[in-house]
């Protein structure tokens, strides 16, 4: 039988062991590593991915010693007790035929505590603490700690370890002159600066033997000033192979780099070419990564010879069965990662448990359990957006009879608008997935139907997921022909003039500003140039000396409150939005009072001064209001109704909350 994705699903022989396919589940910190009863939950999380067909799983990062922890209470793996505790995880993975490697990560100067150590006494731009420069004794001890932790990982049942040498963590800090200004044998020349990673690998290999996987996460593109050159990357890769590394995994960008590398704005497989540049220089397998989220993208990379394996992390939050569905030629049934970061990275950076916007069960496998209902009921869902569909699908899985009413001619709700925003095209994948799940569950869908209380009288439960409508602020002249609300604008996309004012700088305002300043027909080459990435790898760190962008039109993005404008809803993506708009010449104005709108444009007061913005169009992005008029009417007639999504709370558009509410309510009923 011919496999649907023959390169992706082909086994990989490592000599002493074999991986069943070319899929590596990349390292992700979930927050379960430090939580009460976290290992039991982690075991369930990884077991689902092993059951789903992943060839090799890599855990979140564990420090080999106390000073290498990311936070004072972060995960550490350095004792027999830790090894015994981890057996819960490795046994669960092996039970389902999977393989798993423990990632060893020393934070270095990225540590968020006063005991941070690094190659040199240089504070990172994103850190609060200046690290102590490591002494010779501390360096040697850290090398031994890595080796000891690797040996303990083997005792714990792990099939290998991944040594984190990228993303700007400690090992990367030794490698680059940016953070290594030493003059001893651990600094100065490149040969000296790479001594630290090589000695770690040698020590690890000596302790674990020859039949244990050692992955080295190598920063192939630092994207910071004074980063490694391509020739230096090649030199280190060859030395790592000689030192005993089994697999080299690609790392892209330091955490302090001001270039997006994994957000949804990044084109799919945007950095596979970086790994390809190393092909032929070493004989061990190379793994490529970043924004690979469909089997076809992965297959194309492998078929073209850009890499030997693909690493996908967040796609396995979105769908644990990614590989099995690919093998069954059911790619359309994969819940695709949309790279929004809202429930994964944003949560972790806030000290919360990671999950997934499109799959709330991720990291909640033992808690959000979809069990058969004890009493079968007939449920009506009003609104076919993401909240309505997530409820309908989950309720149907429990055995409820579900009828879904949608007043428009298509399912998807606000995502039908979101997917038209440049950089958010992935949102159409979520509509595709949930629409298919609705069909698979044999849910009756009534499009172009606005349900009323008479229609709903025969249902046991009614779930109102009618979403939001734009809020029209009380500004004189808000009904002027120049004015258009964001929903109408995105839906109809009328021709714009050369000057546009946007009222409201929340997530919607940012999206609209991005949409109207996006260059036409942008290719990957254009995107790389736009962000100052050197595709020839001729410059240190892969950064071009200058970024270049020409503004297409004059745009003002306005907000009432004082402070930074264009922050956006995402903790880890807000800076990308701001930098994008600033590069495109968008004028960001905070502390604005709106006076009126007339033929002259938008009249505002800013810092006590009156101004007229001569806008040709004014787009309203001033928030939303819930659409839930039906609830009171239903309750008057004794029909039980529930509100979820935007109907329950408008606020900032929050698909993460909407989808999760749908799942939680369906489980609770």
């Amino acid at each position: 039988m011919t496999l649907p994705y023959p390169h992706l699903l082909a086994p990989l022989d490592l000599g002493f062991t074999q991986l069943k396919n070319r899929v590596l589940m990349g390292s992700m910190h979930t927050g379960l590593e430090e939580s009460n009863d976290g290992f039991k939950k982690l075991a369930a999380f990884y077991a689902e991915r092993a059951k789903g067909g992943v060839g090799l799983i890599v855990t979140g990062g564990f420090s080999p010693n106390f000073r290498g922890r990311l936070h004072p209470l972060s995960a550490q793996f350095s004792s027999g007790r830790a090894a015994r505790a981890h057996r819960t995880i490795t046994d669960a993975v092996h039970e389902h035929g999977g393989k798993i490697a423990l990632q060893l990560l020393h934070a270095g100067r990225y540590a968020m505590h006063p005991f941070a150590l690094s190659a040199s006494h240089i504070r990172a731009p994103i850190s609060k603490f200046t690290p102590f420069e490591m002494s010779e004794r501390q360096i040697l001890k850290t090398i031994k700690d890595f080796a000891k932790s690797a040996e303990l990982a083997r005792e714990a049942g792990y099939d290998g370890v991944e040594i984190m040498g990228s993303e700007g963590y400690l090992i990367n800090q030794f490698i680059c002159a940016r953070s290594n200004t030493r003059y001893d044998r651990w600094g100065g020349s490149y040969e000296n600066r790479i001594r630290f990673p090589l000695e770690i690998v040698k020590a690890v290999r000596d302790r674990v033997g020859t039949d244990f996987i050692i992955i080295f996460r190598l920063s192939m593109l630092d994207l910071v000033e004074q980063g490694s050159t391509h020739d230096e990357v090649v030199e280190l890769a060859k030395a790592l192979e000689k030192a005993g590394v089994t697999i080299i995994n690609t790392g892209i960008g330091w955490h302090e780099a001001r270039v997006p590398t994994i957000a949804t704005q990044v084109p799919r497989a945007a950095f596979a070419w970086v790994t390809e540049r190393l092909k032929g220089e070493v004989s061990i397998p190379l793994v490529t990564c970043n924004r690979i989220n469909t089997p076809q993208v992965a297959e194309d990379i492998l078929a073209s010879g850009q890499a030997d394996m693909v690493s996908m992390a967040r796609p396995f939050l979105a769908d644990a069965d990614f590989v099995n569905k690919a093998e069954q030629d059911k790619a359309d049934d994969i819940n695709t990662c949309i790279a929004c970061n809202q429930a994964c990275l944003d949560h972790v950076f806030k000290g919360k448990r990671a999950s997934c916007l499109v799959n709330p069960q991720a990291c909640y496998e033992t808690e959000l359990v979809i069990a058969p209902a004890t009493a079968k009921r007939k449920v009506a869902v009003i609104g076919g957006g993401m909240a309505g569909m997530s409820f309908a699908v989950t309720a149907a899985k429990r055995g409820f009879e579900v009828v879904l009413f949608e007043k428009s001619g298509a399912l998807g709700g606000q995502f039908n608008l979101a997917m038209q925003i440049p950089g958010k095209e992935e949102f159409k994948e979520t509509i595709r997935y949930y629409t298919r799940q609705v069909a698979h569950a044999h849910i009756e869908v009534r499009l172009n139907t606005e349900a009323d209380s008479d229609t709903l009288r025969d249902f046991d439960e009614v779930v109102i997921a009618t979403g939001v409508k734009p809020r029209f602020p009380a500004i004189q002249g808000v009904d002027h022909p120049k004015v258009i609300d964001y929903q109408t604008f995105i839906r109809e996309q009328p021709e714009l003039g050369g000057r546009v004012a946007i009222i409201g700088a929340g997530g919607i305002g940012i999206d609209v500003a991005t949409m109207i300043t996006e260059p036409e027909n942008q290719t990957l080459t254009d995107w790389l140039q736009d962000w100052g990435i050197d595709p020839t790898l001729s410059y240190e760190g892969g950064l071009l000396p200058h970024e270049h962008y020409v503004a297409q039109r004059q745009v003002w993005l306005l907000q009432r409150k004082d402070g930074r404008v264009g922050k956006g809803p995402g903790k880890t993506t807000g800076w990308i939005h701001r930098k994008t708009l600033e590069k495109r010449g968008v004028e960001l104005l905070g502390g604005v009072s709106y006076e009126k709108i007339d033929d002259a444009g938008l009249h505002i007061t800013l810092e006590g001064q009156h101004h007229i913005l001569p806008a040709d169009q004014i787009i309203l992005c001033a928030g939303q209001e819930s659409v839930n008029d039906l609830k009171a009417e239903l309750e008057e007639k004794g029909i039980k109704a529930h509100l979820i999504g935007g109907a329950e709370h408008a606020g900032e558009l929050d698909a993460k909350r909407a989808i999760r509410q749908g799942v939680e309510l369906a489980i609770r009923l």
Side-chain angles (χ1 to χ4, degrees):
M1 184 181 75
T2 303
L3 291 173
Y5 304 97
H7 295 85
L8 181 67
L9 299 171
L12 179 63
D13 188 5
L14 299 177
F16 58 88
T17 191
Q18 180 172 280
L19 304 181
K20 59 185 175 183
N21 53 53
R22 304 303 179 98
V23 179
L24 182 143
M25 175 176 158
S27 174
M28 291 177 287
H29 196 80
T30 65
L32 292 171
E33 293 82 358
E34 300 88 9
S35 68
N36 292 331
D37 206 21
F39 280 13
K40 180 181 177 182
K41 295 171 183 176
L42 266 179
F45 170 71
Y46 288 127
E48 284 297 308
R49 278 74 197 164
K51 193 192 308 181
V54 174
L56 177 60
I57 295 169
V58 179
T59 70
F62 287 81
S63 176
N65 54 39
F66 173 76
R67 287 195 147 185
R69 294 182 181 188
L70 281 164
H71 299 274
L73 299 178
S74 287
Q76 182 176 330
F77 187 89
S78 59
S79 67
R81 181 181 178 184
R84 289 188 293 274
H86 278 247
R87 268 287 176 187
T88 305
I89 295 171
T90 57
D91 286 349
V93 170
H94 292 151
E95 183 182 344
H96 295 288
K99 284 185 167 61
I100 185 166
L102 178 83
Q103 188 186 76
L104 294 175
L105 182 155
H106 191 300
R109 69 178 191 168
Y110 283 170
M112 295 300 167
H113 55 71
F115 307 107
L117 293 173
S118 185
S120 298
H121 185 67
I122 305 172
R123 185 173 67 86
I126 61 174
S127 297
K128 296 178 181 178
F129 300 97
T130 301
F132 294 95
E133 181 174 302
M134 295 176 76
S135 66
E136 172 87 6
R137 182 184 63 81
Q138 288 172 324
I139 291 172
L140 295 176
K141 183 180 183 304
T142 301
I143 292 170
K144 290 180 180 178
D145 290 342
F146 269 95
K148 178 186 175 184
S149 293
E151 185 177 36
L152 287 168
R154 179 161 193 153
E155 290 179 15
Y158 283 101
D159 301 284
V161 292
E162 179 174 78
I163 298 170
M164 185 52 158
S166 66
E167 265 60 28
Y169 291 112
L170 178 69
I171 294 174
N172 217 171
Q173 293 161 24
F174 267 88
I175 293 169
C176 291
R178 174 184 182 85
S179 47
N180 185 344
T181 57
R182 305 175 71 98
Y183 292 98
D184 59 5
R185 68 190 185 115
W186 307 98
S189 67
Y190 188 69
E191 181 183 4
N192 282 352
R193 298 201 308 273
I194 64 174
R195 189 186 308 278
F196 185 59
L198 293 176
E199 290 301 318
I200 288 174
V201 171
K202 290 174 186 176
V204 168
R205 180 55 76 195
D206 184 59
R207 293 285 282 271
V208 300
T210 57
D211 58 344
F212 191 69
I213 298 170
I214 299 178
I215 309 166
F216 190 91
R217 187 81 181 268
L218 173 61
S219 185
M220 297 189 196
L221 188 67
D222 291 324
L223 297 177
V224 291
E225 295 77 9
Q226 294 181 284
S228 296
T229 65
H230 176 65
D231 289 343
E232 289 173 336
V233 170
V234 172
E235 181 181 340
L236 177 53
K238 290 179 176 179
L240 288 168
E241 179 180 16
K242 187 176 180 182
V245 166
T246 315
I247 297 170
I248 292 178
N249 194 1
T250 299
I252 300 292
W254 288 35
H255 286 316
E256 63 203 70
R258 305 311 287 170
V259 177
T261 56
I262 60 171
T264 191
Q265 296 93 334
V266 179
R268 289 178 175 179
F271 297 103
W273 58 273
V274 178
T275 311
E276 183 181 18
R277 287 290 299 273
L278 195 56
K279 287 282 286 181
E281 301 287 356
V282 293
S283 58
I284 56 177
L286 296 178
V287 186
T288 197
C289 63
N290 289 36
R291 288 290 285 121
I292 302 165
N293 65 345
T294 73
Q296 192 59 57
V297 171
E299 176 70 14
D300 291 345
I301 288 170
L302 297 171
S304 65
Q306 290 182 297
D308 303 295
M309 291 185 74
V310 291
S311 173
M312 292 178 278
R314 295 169 301 168
F316 289 106
L317 288 173
D319 198 325
D321 290 321
F322 184 104
V323 179
N324 283 348
K325 289 176 181 178
E327 191 169 8
Q328 295 161 11
D329 203 12
K330 294 180 179 179
D332 283 345
D333 288 324
I334 291 174
N335 196 359
T336 305
C337 168
I338 61 175
C340 64
N341 291 355
Q342 290 180 36
C344 50
L345 287 177
D346 284 1
H347 277 207
V348 170
F349 276 84
K350 293 175 183 176
K352 299 165 61 179
R353 190 195 311 189
S355 188
C356 180
L357 181 147
V358 300
N359 176 26
Q361 287 180 282
C363 299
Y364 287 83
E365 285 78 12
T366 62
E367 294 149 271
L368 287 182
V369 179
I370 302 174
T374 54
K376 305 299 171 67
R377 280 169 282 177
K378 188 175 181 181
V379 185
V381 183
I382 316 303
M386 301 320 303
M389 283 200 288
S390 71
F391 171 86
V393 168
T394 309
K397 287 179 180 178
R398 294 198 62 206
F400 293 129
E401 181 185 347
V402 182
V403 179
L404 180 57
F405 296 86
E406 168 56 44
K407 68 177 182 180
S408 73
L411 299 176
Q414 294 284 320
F415 267 37
N416 286 309
L417 301 179
M419 71 182 192
Q420 298 181 58
I421 304 297
K424 288 192 173 181
E425 295 88 353
E426 297 284 12
F427 283 54
K428 70 178 180 293
E429 302 289 359
T430 308
I431 298 175
R432 180 261 309 152
Y433 170 76
Y434 274 99
T435 301
R436 284 184 67 84
Q437 297 310 299
V438 166
H440 289 330
H442 304 293
I443 294 167
E444 181 182 347
V445 178
R446 301 181 189 178
L447 298 176
N448 301 305
T449 303
E450 194 157 359
D452 55 28
S453 57
D454 289 335
T455 309
L456 303 171
R457 68 176 62 185
D458 295 328
F459 288 90
D460 299 308
E461 309 267 356
V462 175
V463 176
I464 301 172
T466 42
V468 297
K469 60 184 178 182
R471 186 177 70 84
F472 283 76
I475 302 173
Q476 182 182 341
V478 75
D479 56 350
H480 193 279
K482 287 185 175 187
V483 178
I484 186 171
D485 68 85
Y486 76 89
Q487 286 191 1
T488 304
F489 171 73
I490 296 172
R491 188 167 52 247
E492 299 180 2
Q493 297 190 27
E495 195 72 31
L496 294 177
R499 297 167 300 185
V500 180
I502 300 170
I503 294 178
I508 298 168
I510 290 168
D511 282 350
V512 169
T514 302
M515 185 177 187
I516 66 177
T517 58
E518 181 77 5
E520 293 182 4
N521 304 316
Q522 190 178 50
T523 64
L524 175 58
T525 300
D526 296 330
W527 184 86
L528 294 172
Q529 182 178 9
D530 187 20
W531 283 98
I533 301 170
D534 172 24
T536 69
L537 299 181
S538 303
Y539 294 93
E540 289 183 349
L543 286 178
L544 293 168
H546 305 287
E547 295 176 14
H548 177 70
Y549 190 87
V550 178
Q552 309 261 324
R553 56 170 51 92
Q554 185 173 10
V555 177
W556 297 275
L557 182 62
L558 315 166
Q559 70 179 29
R560 288 186 186 274
K561 64 181 179 182
D562 291 320
R564 190 165 53 181
V565 180
K567 184 177 180 181
K571 183 175 179 62
T572 59
T573 54
W575 69 270
I576 302 173
H577 301 306
R578 288 192 300 276
K579 187 170 181 181
T580 298
L581 298 181
E582 288 166 359
K583 287 195 305 176
R584 295 178 179 181
V586 175
E587 197 168 348
L588 310 176
L589 301 176
V592 173
S593 295
Y594 307 110
E595 297 177 4
K596 65 177 180 178
I597 299 167
D598 59 19
D599 291 343
L602 176 61
H603 297 248
I604 64 170
T605 298
L606 181 64
E607 296 180 347
Q609 300 293 315
H610 175 260
H611 301 272
I612 301 176
L613 305 183
D616 301 306
Q617 279 87 26
I618 298 160
I619 304 175
L620 296 179
C621 303
Q624 310 83 36
E625 297 173 346
S626 296
V627 182
N628 57 16
D629 301 335
L630 190 59
K631 187 173 189 290
E633 182 183 347
L634 290 174
E635 290 181 341
E636 282 180 11
K637 296 188 176 184
I639 302 172
K640 192 172 183 180
H642 309 267
L643 295 175
I644 58 173
E648 185 265 333
H649 176 70
E652 190 68 51
L653 284 182
D654 191 348
K656 176 183 68 175
R657 174 174 54 83
I659 293 174
R660 189 176 188 87
Q661 280 185 335
V663 173
E664 289 178 335
L665 176 60
I667 289 174
R668 195 165 63 244
L669 281 185

